Amino acid sequence: MSDRCVTASGKVAVVGSINADMRVGVERFPGPGETLAGGEATLTPGGKGANQALAAARCGAQVEMVGAVGNDPTAETALSLLSECVGLDGVVRRDILTGTAVVMVADSGENSIIVIAAANGSVDAASVHAQAERVGDADVVVCQGEIPRDGIAEAARCAERFVFNLAPVINVDPEVIRMADPLVVNEHEAALVAAALGSTTPRLEEDPDAALRELLDLGCRSVVITLGSAGCIIGGPEGFDSVPATKTVAVDTVGAGDAFVGALAAELARGRSLVEGCRFATAVATLTVTKSGAQASYPSIGEIENIRQGDQA
């Protein structure tokens, strides 16, 4: 086990995507029909599922990854950091390409991403059912929107506690969304999910507090809406709360949302409350934006210990 991972506490299964990310630096994002010269290009491990799995492991959970990669050379890149401290027995090899994301990172630190599913598209209900014992043994099961909807539904059915980061927002059975505890989305995704659940309230993306209440009224068990540099808001059976983020200078926001979800899952698996978990997850996500890369920016043992000491202060 790598010295960047901490002693495991609580079990997390992440059912989701595994990618090799092609990252390209740009001065700014191109407009329609425009060609820009790119800066340095690198191939790095990524995928929302893999990012969240590594973040959860770095934050102290015992993590199992359930997903798929290809038999191509980029699979080794995609799995390179996960192999430090994430169980990979639930990752199958397919005779297709490994999932890929093309990530443009502007000088401002903002990012724009195109995702090609490839092997991730094979993580369907049958694939997840084959890993039912591994998934069902976890304290917390995490999914995202980068695998087929029936694979997500099967993971939710197997889960003791289902954390659903519905990003990107795809067409999922509304009852699967309502099984999430919590549903984790940003303000734009919150409005889309509310509409998918039947909301007719306009302009929810401009009012995250209203979106939070709408999602709860539509039957969601608990909801976390992430607000980037403003932190997050939380709603559930215990009421409403908010967690501000510490102000910092963003170098690269790629993977920060996934760091939040992984850190939150780790905290929930060790018995922390949703609000406590969100405080910790916000601190972890804030730290990651001060560094370049997605998985490469996730915290070390010392950084995690500093965050925990800050929470206890």
Side-chain angles (χ1 to χ4, degrees):
M1 179 176 288
S2 166
D3 60 4
R4 295 197 70 183
C5 297
V6 299
T7 303
S9 174
K11 295 182 179 180
V12 173
V14 178
V15 182
S17 55
I18 305 169
N19 288 342
D21 290 350
M22 173 62 74
R23 296 169 48 80
V24 182
V26 292
E27 180 180 354
R28 58 177 175 82
F29 299 138
E34 182 182 12
T35 299
L36 290 180
E40 182 181 2
T42 58
L43 189 66
T44 59
K48 294 186 72 63
N51 291 349
Q52 292 169 11
L54 183 64
R58 291 270 180 90
C59 292
Q62 179 182 334
V63 182
E64 293 285 339
M65 183 78 212
V66 174
V69 295
N71 280 315
D72 53 327
T74 58
E76 305 313 315
T77 297
L79 297 173
S80 58
L81 290 180
L82 285 183
S83 62
E84 292 180 351
C85 49
V86 173
L88 299 179
D89 289 345
V91 177
V92 298
R93 298 270 183 163
R94 308 285 193 199
D95 288 327
I96 49 180
L97 294 175
T98 298
T100 302
V102 179
V103 183
M104 290 187 294
V105 182
D107 288 350
S108 65
E110 292 300 311
N111 65 83
S112 180
I113 305 172
I114 300 171
V115 177
I116 300 98
N120 296 318
S122 70
V123 188
D124 56 12
S127 296
V128 177
H129 184 72
Q131 304 291 337
E133 184 175 351
R134 194 181 312 280
V135 176
D137 187 49
D139 300 302
V140 172
V141 175
V142 184
C143 276
Q144 326 77 37
E146 291 186 340
I147 61 172
R149 54 180 289 181
D150 62 334
I152 295 168
E154 182 66 20
R157 283 190 287 269
C158 294
E160 178 176 333
R161 182 170 189 173
F162 181 51
V163 174
F164 193 13
N165 175 218
L166 186 43
V169 178
I170 61 172
N171 183 19
V172 178
D173 184 340
E175 291 312 307
V176 172
I177 298 173
R178 292 185 175 103
M179 294 170 71
D181 186 19
L183 170 71
V184 183
V185 285
N186 64 28
E187 64 266 44
H188 308 294
E189 294 156 354
L192 292 172
V193 175
L197 293 176
S199 173
T200 58
T201 303
R203 308 176 77 88
L204 283 176
E205 69 278 2
E206 298 175 10
D207 189 346
D209 290 309
L212 181 70
R213 294 178 184 277
E214 185 85 347
L215 288 167
L216 293 169
D217 288 344
L218 290 165
C220 292
R221 296 183 183 183
S222 61
V223 179
V224 176
I225 298 182
T226 58
L227 304 173
S229 60
C232 68
I233 53 176
I234 307 149
E238 299 178 356
F240 298 87
D241 213 325
S242 63
V243 176
T246 303
K247 290 184 178 180
T248 191
V249 177
V251 173
D252 184 354
T253 62
V254 174
D258 294 333
F260 179 97
V261 174
L264 174 59
E267 290 296 278
L268 295 177
R270 63 195 291 262
R272 305 283 277 178
S273 72
L274 183 55
V275 172
E276 290 170 333
C278 285
R279 288 195 189 103
F280 176 78
T282 298
V284 170
T286 299
L287 176 63
T288 68
V289 304
T290 65
K291 307 175 188 178
S292 296
Q295 293 183 20
S297 72
Y298 292 174
S300 64
I301 290 176
E303 290 169 328
I304 288 295
E305 289 177 347
N306 287 339
I307 291 171
R308 292 203 189 283
Q309 288 171 4
D311 279 350
Q312 294 168 2

Coordinates of all heavy atoms in Angstrom, one line a residue, residues 68-141:
A68 N -14.9 -1.3 -15.7 CA -14.3 -2.0 -16.9 C -13.3 -1.1 -17.6 O -13.4 0.1 -17.7 CB -15.3 -2.5 -17.9
V69 N -12.2 -1.8 -18.1 CA -11.2 -1.1 -19.0 C -11.0 -2.0 -20.2 O -11.4 -3.1 -20.2 CB -9.9 -0.8 -18.2 CG1 -10.0 0.1 -17.1 CG2 -9.3 -2.2 -17.7
G70 N -10.3 -1.5 -21.1 CA -10.0 -2.2 -22.3 C -8.7 -3.0 -22.2 O -8.0 -3.0 -21.1
N71 N -8.3 -3.7 -23.2 CA -7.0 -4.4 -23.3 C -6.0 -3.6 -24.0 O -4.9 -4.1 -24.4 CB -7.2 -5.8 -24.0 CG -7.8 -6.8 -23.1 OD1 -7.4 -6.9 -21.9 ND2 -8.8 -7.5 -23.6
D72 N -6.2 -2.3 -24.1 CA -5.3 -1.4 -24.8 C -4.2 -0.8 -23.8 O -4.4 -0.9 -22.6 CB -6.1 -0.3 -25.5 CG -7.0 0.4 -24.5 OD1 -7.5 -0.2 -23.6 OD2 -7.2 1.7 -24.6
P73 N -3.2 -0.2 -24.3 CA -2.1 0.3 -23.4 C -2.6 1.4 -22.5 O -2.0 1.5 -21.4 CB -1.1 0.8 -24.4 CG -1.3 0.1 -25.7 CD -2.8 -0.2 -25.7
T74 N -3.6 2.1 -22.8 CA -4.1 3.2 -22.0 C -4.7 2.7 -20.7 O -4.9 3.5 -19.7 CB -5.0 4.2 -22.7 OG1 -6.2 3.4 -23.2 CG2 -4.3 4.9 -23.9
A75 N -5.1 1.4 -20.7 CA -5.7 0.8 -19.5 C -4.7 0.9 -18.3 O -5.1 1.2 -17.2 CB -6.1 -0.6 -19.7
E76 N -3.4 0.7 -18.6 CA -2.4 0.8 -17.5 C -2.3 2.2 -16.9 O -2.2 2.4 -15.7 CB -1.1 0.3 -18.0 CG -1.1 -1.1 -18.6 CD -1.9 -2.1 -17.8 OE1 -1.7 -2.1 -16.5 OE2 -2.7 -2.8 -18.3
T77 N -2.4 3.2 -17.8 CA -2.4 4.6 -17.3 C -3.7 4.8 -16.5 O -3.6 5.4 -15.4 CB -2.5 5.6 -18.5 OG1 -1.2 5.4 -19.3 CG2 -2.6 7.0 -18.0
A78 N -4.8 4.3 -16.9 CA -6.1 4.6 -16.2 C -6.1 4.0 -14.8 O -6.7 4.5 -13.9 CB -7.3 4.0 -17.0
L79 N -5.4 2.8 -14.7 CA -5.4 2.1 -13.4 C -4.2 2.4 -12.5 O -4.1 2.0 -11.4 CB -5.4 0.6 -13.6 CG -6.7 0.1 -14.3 CD1 -6.5 -1.4 -14.6 CD2 -7.9 0.3 -13.5
S80 N -3.3 3.3 -13.0 CA -1.9 3.4 -12.4 C -2.0 3.9 -10.9 O -1.3 3.4 -10.1 CB -1.1 4.3 -13.2 OG -1.7 5.6 -13.4
L81 N -2.8 4.9 -10.6 CA -2.9 5.4 -9.3 C -3.9 4.6 -8.4 O -3.7 4.5 -7.2 CB -3.2 6.9 -9.2 CG -2.1 7.8 -9.7 CD1 -2.6 9.3 -9.7 CD2 -0.9 7.7 -8.9
L82 N -4.9 4.1 -9.0 CA -5.9 3.3 -8.3 C -5.2 2.0 -7.6 O -5.5 1.6 -6.6 CB -7.0 2.7 -9.2 CG -8.1 3.7 -9.6 CD1 -9.1 3.0 -10.5 CD2 -8.7 4.3 -8.5
S83 N -4.2 1.5 -8.3 CA -3.5 0.3 -7.9 C -2.8 0.5 -6.5 O -2.4 -0.4 -5.9 CB -2.5 -0.2 -8.9 OG -1.5 0.7 -9.2
E84 N -2.6 1.8 -6.1 CA -1.9 2.1 -4.9 C -2.7 1.6 -3.7 O -2.1 1.0 -2.7 CB -1.7 3.6 -4.7 CG -0.7 4.3 -5.7 CD -0.7 5.8 -5.4 OE1 -1.5 6.3 -4.6 OE2 0.2 6.4 -6.0
C85 N -4.0 1.8 -3.7 CA -4.8 1.5 -2.5 C -6.2 1.3 -2.7 O -7.0 1.4 -1.8 CB -4.6 2.6 -1.5 SG -4.9 4.3 -2.1
V86 N -6.6 0.9 -3.9 CA -8.0 0.6 -4.3 C -8.0 -0.9 -4.8 O -7.2 -1.3 -5.6 CB -8.6 1.5 -5.3 CG1 -9.9 1.1 -5.8 CG2 -8.6 2.9 -4.8
G87 N -9.0 -1.7 -4.2 CA -9.2 -3.0 -4.7 C -9.7 -3.0 -6.1 O -10.7 -2.4 -6.5
L88 N -9.0 -3.8 -7.0 CA -9.3 -3.8 -8.4 C -9.9 -5.1 -8.9 O -10.0 -5.3 -10.1 CB -8.1 -3.4 -9.3 CG -7.5 -2.0 -9.0 CD1 -6.3 -1.8 -9.8 CD2 -8.6 -0.9 -9.2
D89 N -10.2 -6.1 -8.0 CA -10.7 -7.3 -8.5 C -12.1 -7.2 -9.1 O -12.5 -8.1 -9.9 CB -10.8 -8.3 -7.3 CG -9.5 -8.8 -6.7 OD1 -8.5 -8.6 -7.5 OD2 -9.4 -9.3 -5.6
G90 N -12.8 -6.1 -8.9 CA -14.0 -5.9 -9.6 C -13.9 -5.2 -10.9 O -15.0 -4.8 -11.5
V91 N -12.7 -5.0 -11.4 CA -12.5 -4.3 -12.7 C -12.2 -5.4 -13.7 O -11.3 -6.1 -13.6 CB -11.4 -3.3 -12.6 CG1 -11.1 -2.7 -14.0 CG2 -11.7 -2.2 -11.6
V92 N -13.1 -5.5 -14.7 CA -12.9 -6.5 -15.8 C -12.2 -5.9 -17.0 O -12.3 -4.6 -17.2 CB -14.2 -7.1 -16.2 CG1 -14.8 -7.8 -15.0 CG2 -15.2 -6.1 -16.7
R93 N -11.6 -6.7 -17.8 CA -11.0 -6.3 -19.0 C -11.9 -6.7 -20.2 O -12.4 -7.8 -20.3 CB -9.6 -7.0 -19.2 CG -8.6 -6.6 -18.1 CD -7.8 -5.5 -18.5 NE -6.7 -5.2 -17.5 CZ -5.7 -4.4 -17.7 NH1 -5.5 -3.8 -18.9 NH2 -4.8 -4.2 -16.8
R94 N -12.1 -5.7 -21.1 CA -12.9 -6.0 -22.3 C -12.1 -5.8 -23.6 O -11.1 -5.1 -23.6 CB -14.1 -4.9 -22.4 CG -14.9 -4.9 -21.1 CD -15.8 -6.0 -20.9 NE -16.8 -5.8 -19.9 CZ -17.5 -6.7 -19.3 NH1 -17.4 -8.0 -19.7 NH2 -18.4 -6.4 -18.4
D95 N -12.5 -6.4 -24.6 CA -11.8 -6.3 -25.9 C -12.3 -5.1 -26.7 O -12.6 -5.1 -27.8 CB -12.0 -7.6 -26.7 CG -11.2 -8.7 -26.2 OD1 -10.1 -8.5 -25.6 OD2 -11.7 -9.9 -26.3
I96 N -12.3 -4.0 -26.0 CA -12.6 -2.7 -26.5 C -11.7 -1.6 -25.9 O -10.9 -2.0 -25.1 CB -14.1 -2.3 -26.3 CG1 -14.5 -2.5 -24.8 CG2 -15.1 -3.1 -27.2 CD1 -15.9 -2.1 -24.5
L97 N -11.8 -0.4 -26.3 CA -10.9 0.6 -25.8 C -11.3 1.0 -24.4 O -12.5 1.0 -24.0 CB -11.0 1.9 -26.7 CG -10.5 1.7 -28.2 CD1 -10.7 3.0 -28.9 CD2 -9.0 1.4 -28.2
T98 N -10.3 1.5 -23.7 CA -10.5 2.1 -22.4 C -11.2 3.4 -22.5 O -10.9 4.1 -23.5 CB -9.2 2.2 -21.6 OG1 -8.6 0.9 -21.4 CG2 -9.3 2.9 -20.3
G99 N -12.1 3.7 -21.6 CA -12.8 5.0 -21.6 C -11.7 6.2 -21.7 O -10.6 6.1 -21.1
T100 N -12.1 7.3 -22.3 CA -11.2 8.4 -22.5 C -12.0 9.7 -22.3 O -13.2 9.8 -22.6 CB -10.7 8.4 -24.0 OG1 -10.0 7.2 -24.2 CG2 -9.7 9.5 -24.2
A101 N -11.3 10.7 -21.7 CA -11.9 12.0 -21.6 C -10.8 13.0 -22.2 O -9.6 12.9 -21.9 CB -12.2 12.4 -20.2
V102 N -11.3 13.9 -23.0 CA -10.5 15.0 -23.5 C -10.8 16.2 -22.6 O -11.9 16.7 -22.7 CB -10.8 15.3 -25.0 CG1 -9.9 16.4 -25.5 CG2 -10.5 14.0 -25.8
V103 N -9.8 16.7 -21.9 CA -10.0 17.7 -20.9 C -9.2 19.0 -21.3 O -8.0 18.9 -21.5 CB -9.5 17.3 -19.5 CG1 -9.8 18.4 -18.5 CG2 -10.1 16.0 -19.1
M104 N -9.9 20.1 -21.6 CA -9.2 21.3 -21.8 C -9.2 22.1 -20.5 O -10.3 22.3 -19.9 CB -10.0 22.1 -22.9 CG -9.9 21.5 -24.3 SD -10.6 22.6 -25.6 CE -12.4 22.6 -25.1
V105 N -8.0 22.6 -20.1 CA -7.9 23.4 -18.9 C -7.4 24.8 -19.3 O -6.3 25.0 -19.9 CB -6.9 22.8 -17.9 CG1 -6.8 23.6 -16.7 CG2 -7.3 21.3 -17.6
A106 N -8.3 25.8 -19.1 CA -7.9 27.2 -19.4 C -7.0 27.8 -18.4 O -6.8 27.3 -17.3 CB -9.2 28.0 -19.5
D107 N -6.3 28.9 -18.8 CA -5.4 29.5 -17.8 C -6.1 30.0 -16.6 O -5.5 30.2 -15.5 CB -4.8 30.8 -18.5 CG -3.7 30.4 -19.6 OD1 -3.4 29.2 -19.6 OD2 -3.3 31.2 -20.4
S108 N -7.4 30.2 -16.6 CA -8.2 30.6 -15.5 C -8.4 29.5 -14.4 O -8.8 29.8 -13.3 CB -9.6 31.1 -15.9 OG -10.3 30.0 -16.4
G109 N -8.0 28.3 -14.8 CA -8.2 27.1 -14.0 C -9.5 26.3 -14.3 O -9.7 25.2 -13.8
E110 N -10.4 26.9 -15.0 CA -11.7 26.3 -15.4 C -11.4 25.2 -16.5 O -10.4 25.2 -17.2 CB -12.7 27.3 -15.9 CG -13.2 28.2 -14.9 CD -13.9 27.5 -13.7 OE1 -14.8 26.6 -14.0 OE2 -13.6 27.7 -12.6
N111 N -12.3 24.2 -16.6 CA -12.1 23.1 -17.5 C -13.4 22.8 -18.3 O -14.5 23.2 -17.9 CB -11.7 21.9 -16.7 CG -12.8 21.3 -15.8 OD1 -13.7 20.6 -16.2 ND2 -12.7 21.7 -14.5
S112 N -13.1 22.2 -19.5 CA -14.2 21.8 -20.4 C -13.8 20.4 -20.8 O -12.7 20.1 -21.1 CB -14.3 22.7 -21.6 OG -15.3 22.3 -22.4
I113 N -14.8 19.4 -20.8 CA -14.5 18.0 -20.9 C -15.4 17.3 -21.9 O -16.6 17.5 -21.9 CB -14.6 17.3 -19.5 CG1 -13.8 18.0 -18.5 CG2 -14.3 15.8 -19.6 CD1 -14.0 17.5 -17.1
I114 N -14.8 16.5 -22.8 CA -15.6 15.6 -23.6 C -15.3 14.2 -23.2 O -14.1 13.8 -23.1 CB -15.2 15.8 -25.1 CG1 -15.5 17.3 -25.5 CG2 -16.0 14.8 -26.0 CD1 -14.9 17.6 -26.9
V115 N -16.3 13.4 -23.0 CA -16.1 12.0 -22.5 C -16.5 11.0 -23.5 O -17.6 11.1 -24.1 CB -16.9 11.8 -21.2 CG1 -16.7 10.3 -20.7 CG2 -16.5 12.7 -20.1
I116 N -15.6 10.0 -23.8 CA -16.0 8.9 -24.6 C -16.1 7.6 -23.8 O -15.1 7.2 -23.1 CB -14.9 8.7 -25.7 CG1 -14.7 9.9 -26.6 CG2 -15.2 7.5 -26.6 CD1 -13.6 10.8 -26.2
A117 N -17.2 7.0 -23.7 CA -17.5 5.9 -22.7 C -16.6 4.7 -23.0 O -16.0 4.2 -22.1 CB -19.0 5.6 -22.8
A118 N -16.6 4.2 -24.2 CA -15.9 3.0 -24.6 C -16.2 1.8 -23.5 O -17.3 1.5 -23.3 CB -14.4 3.3 -24.7
A119 N -15.2 1.3 -22.8 CA -15.4 0.2 -21.9 C -16.4 0.5 -20.8 O -17.1 -0.4 -20.3 CB -14.0 -0.3 -21.3
N120 N -16.4 1.8 -20.4 CA -17.4 2.1 -19.4 C -18.8 1.8 -19.8 O -19.7 1.6 -18.9 CB -17.3 3.6 -19.0 CG -15.9 4.0 -18.5 OD1 -15.4 3.2 -17.6 ND2 -15.3 5.1 -18.9
G121 N -19.1 1.8 -21.1 CA -20.4 1.5 -21.6 C -20.8 0.1 -21.4 O -22.0 -0.2 -21.6
S122 N -19.9 -0.8 -21.0 CA -20.2 -2.2 -20.8 C -20.6 -2.5 -19.3 O -20.9 -3.6 -19.0 CB -19.0 -3.1 -21.2 OG -17.9 -2.9 -20.3
V123 N -20.5 -1.5 -18.4 CA -20.8 -1.7 -17.0 C -22.3 -1.6 -16.8 O -22.9 -0.7 -16.2 CB -20.1 -0.7 -16.1 CG1 -20.2 -1.0 -14.6 CG2 -18.6 -0.6 -16.5
D124 N -23.0 -2.7 -17.3 CA -24.4 -2.7 -17.3 C -24.9 -3.5 -16.1 O -24.1 -3.9 -15.2 CB -25.0 -3.3 -18.6 CG -24.4 -4.7 -18.9 OD1 -23.7 -5.3 -18.0 OD2 -24.6 -5.1 -20.1
A125 N -26.2 -3.8 -16.0 CA -26.8 -4.5 -14.9 C -26.2 -5.9 -14.7 O -25.9 -6.3 -13.6 CB -28.3 -4.7 -15.1
A126 N -25.9 -6.6 -15.8 CA -25.3 -7.9 -15.7 C -23.9 -7.9 -15.1 O -23.5 -8.7 -14.2 CB -25.3 -8.6 -17.0
S127 N -23.2 -6.9 -15.5 CA -21.8 -6.7 -15.0 C -21.8 -6.4 -13.5 O -21.0 -6.9 -12.8 CB -21.1 -5.6 -15.8 OG -20.9 -5.9 -17.1
V128 N -22.7 -5.5 -13.1 CA -22.8 -5.1 -11.7 C -23.3 -6.3 -10.9 O -22.8 -6.5 -9.8 CB -23.6 -3.9 -11.5 CG1 -23.8 -3.5 -10.1 CG2 -23.0 -2.7 -12.3
H129 N -24.3 -7.0 -11.4 CA -24.9 -8.1 -10.7 C -23.8 -9.2 -10.4 O -23.8 -9.8 -9.3 CB -26.0 -8.8 -11.5 CG -26.7 -9.9 -10.7 ND1 -27.5 -9.7 -9.6 CD2 -26.6 -11.2 -10.9 CE1 -27.9 -10.8 -9.2 NE2 -27.4 -11.8 -9.9
A130 N -22.8 -9.3 -11.3 CA -21.8 -10.3 -11.1 C -20.9 -9.9 -10.0 O -20.2 -10.8 -9.4 CB -20.9 -10.4 -12.4
Q131 N -20.9 -8.6 -9.6 CA -20.1 -8.1 -8.5 C -21.0 -7.8 -7.2 O -20.6 -7.1 -6.4 CB -19.4 -6.9 -8.9 CG -18.5 -7.0 -10.1 CD -17.3 -7.9 -9.8 OE1 -16.9 -8.0 -8.7 NE2 -16.8 -8.5 -10.9
A132 N -22.2 -8.4 -7.2 CA -23.2 -8.1 -6.2 C -22.7 -8.3 -4.8 O -23.0 -7.5 -3.9 CB -24.5 -8.9 -6.4
E133 N -21.9 -9.3 -4.5 CA -21.4 -9.6 -3.2 C -20.4 -8.5 -2.8 O -20.5 -8.0 -1.7 CB -20.7 -10.9 -3.1 CG -20.2 -11.3 -1.7 CD -19.7 -12.7 -1.6 OE1 -19.8 -13.5 -2.6 OE2 -19.1 -13.0 -0.6
R134 N -19.6 -8.1 -3.7 CA -18.6 -7.0 -3.4 C -19.3 -5.7 -3.2 O -18.9 -4.9 -2.3 CB -17.7 -6.9 -4.7 CG -16.4 -6.1 -4.4 CD -15.6 -6.0 -5.7 NE -15.4 -7.2 -6.4 CZ -14.5 -8.2 -6.0 NH1 -13.7 -7.9 -5.0 NH2 -14.4 -9.3 -6.7
V135 N -20.3 -5.4 -4.0 CA -21.1 -4.1 -3.8 C -21.9 -4.2 -2.5 O -21.9 -3.2 -1.7 CB -22.0 -3.9 -5.0 CG1 -22.8 -2.7 -4.8 CG2 -21.1 -3.8 -6.3
G136 N -22.6 -5.3 -2.3 CA -23.4 -5.4 -1.1 C -22.7 -5.4 0.2 O -23.2 -5.1 1.3
D137 N -21.4 -5.7 0.2 CA -20.6 -5.8 1.4 C -20.1 -4.4 1.9 O -19.6 -4.2 3.0 CB -19.4 -6.7 1.2 CG -18.6 -6.9 2.4 OD1 -19.2 -7.3 3.5 OD2 -17.3 -6.7 2.4
A138 N -20.3 -3.4 1.0 CA -19.8 -2.0 1.4 C -20.8 -1.3 2.3 O -22.0 -1.5 2.2 CB -19.6 -1.3 0.1
D139 N -20.2 -0.4 3.1 CA -21.1 0.5 3.9 C -21.7 1.5 3.0 O -22.9 2.0 3.3 CB -20.2 1.1 5.0 CG -19.6 0.1 5.9 OD1 -20.3 -0.6 6.5 OD2 -18.3 0.1 6.0
V140 N -21.0 2.0 2.0 CA -21.5 3.0 1.1 C -21.2 2.6 -0.3 O -20.0 2.1 -0.6 CB -20.8 4.4 1.4 CG1 -21.2 5.4 0.3 CG2 -21.2 4.9 2.8
V141 N -22.1 2.7 -1.2 CA -21.9 2.5 -2.7 C -22.1 3.8 -3.4 O -23.0 4.5 -3.2 CB -22.9 1.4 -3.2 CG1 -22.7 1.2 -4.7 CG2 -22.7 0.1 -2.5

